[in-house]
Amino acid sequence: MKAKILIVGGGAMGTSVALSAAKRCDPLTEPVILIEKGSLGSGSSGRTGAVIHQGYAERPLAGMARDALKVYAGMHRLVGRNVGYKRTGVLVVAGTDPETIAVLKRNVEMQRSLGINVKVMTAQEMRAICPGIMVDDAAMGSYEPDGGYVEPRRTIDTFAALARSYGASTRTGVQNPTVLVENGRAVGVATSEGEFRAPNVVLATGPWTGVILKELGVEMPLRVVRIEETFFEMPDPPALEDVDDAIDDDIETRFQPDPLDLMPAAHPVILDQVNGLHLRCEPKAKRTRVGRIGFDGLPELERPESLNEEVSDDFRNWASPLLNGRMPVYGEMAPCGNQAAWITLTPDQRPIVGQVKEIPGLYVVTGFSGNDFQLAPSIGEGLAQMILGQPVSAIDEEFFSPSRFAAV
Ligand SMILES: Cc1cc2nc3c(=O)[nH]c(=O)nc-3n(C[C@H](O)[C@H](O)[C@H](O)COP(=O)(O)OP(=O)(O)OC[C@H]3O[C@@H](n4cnc5c(N)ncnc54)[C@H](O)[C@@H]3O)c2cc1C
């Protein structure tokens, strides 16, 4: 089979690249094909919390998050498909450390200069936004009312379905894909179903990318670590009257369960920088996901297949006292499961997006360092522009360049 662009990997990034590429290519003369060895979303994207927020410390990332949020929020209206975007708001608890507060304020200022709706909050305001939260009187935080989350599988399915509607094809369960290189150029992928030939091959293979590149003789500083998350029953959302009573009139941005929402979240997404935890309600499953912020000391995986799916209660036992100290209501909530997953890290915790200089025609999109599901629309757009030689407006090419590590 022949394609103009062949995408390997059907996670958030691969499906988003397929969509943006298909929009720009003639399906008859410039086909776009995505191949996935498992099912769509069988990598990190199927296990993500998919929190959507614009609270990045780096300007290019904050700008992309702002643009991506518009895509998620407008998807239903624009294309009639729902990615499960819930606007619960995102509350960052920065604590009392003056240096951390100074950084928070600087970041909020930068984000606001990009047009992002976010504000610094006092302890009193945080308590009003998030009834039941325990914060020190001197603590500061920030609140982003438009943040929340999407449903990752619906998002991936939507990207893939839209890509197909523009003429792309998506093939799952394609076994043993191997990148073909001829005369130093990527020319396609050999699989058990035969060869897929294409002058542009995109590795959107998440945690598998480092291994694939190594087999091609390319070294990139990618590390894959194993992360655990735990789940608790979700508390009941606060009664609307209680939230109203608790809120001062001068706080114009606040978490309020939507009265028309049949399955409201119990509270905003909480990014607790003090304890290194994040909380994201999953109303449909009546549970709250608790994960960690920061990946220091996590066990490294040589090969993604070696991920141990058996999860002990160690992470939960560590997280519980911190969680209960922050949101005491969780002391009454029953545990309901754990999961293990992969995080693909780069040394500067920024993704790698672009052409592999050692192998022209081969592109990588990986290293999202535990974030950035939310950036998928901008990444897809930017990479499609790059491959097709169009002006690259959706991402900052230099910022994500695979060559940036060689230059250090
Ligand atoms: C527990 C957890 C929580 C997270 N929470 C958030 C969050 O709240 N917000 C946020 O923005 N981000 C979050 N992230 C990060 C985010 O999920 C990832 O950055 C994102 O999902 C990466 O998507 P991807 O498409 O690059 O990779 P993946 O989803 O891993 O996709 C790679 C795909 O490639 C396929 N593949 C691999 N090798 C081959 C091959 N040789 N041939 C064919 N197919 C192949 C795999 O089967 C897989 O489907 C979280 C991640 C994890 C693990």
Side-chain angles (χ1 to χ4, degrees), residues 9 12-13 36-37 44-45 48 51 177 207 342 368 371-374:
M13 302 304 158
E36 159 62 51
K37 67 184 169 70
S44 300
S45 302
T48 179
V51 168
W342 314 263
F368 292 96
N371 280 302
D372 307 341
F373 180 95
Q374 55 185 343

Side-chain angles (χ1 to χ4, degrees), residues 73-97:
M75 191 72 92
H76 195 227
R77 189 168 46 83
L78 282 177
V79 298
R81 291 190 70 111
N82 189 344
V83 294
Y85 165 63
K86 268 207 195 248
R87 185 177 175 266
T88 62
V90 175
L91 175 65
V92 176
V93 181
T96 54
D97 173 50

Side-chain angles (χ1 to χ4, degrees), residues 38-61:
S39 53
L40 296 180
S42 50
S44 300
S45 302
R47 302 181 189 209
T48 179
V51 168
I52 305 296
H53 75 114
Q54 306 153 95
Y56 283 94
E58 294 180 284
R59 201 177 169 85
L61 295 172

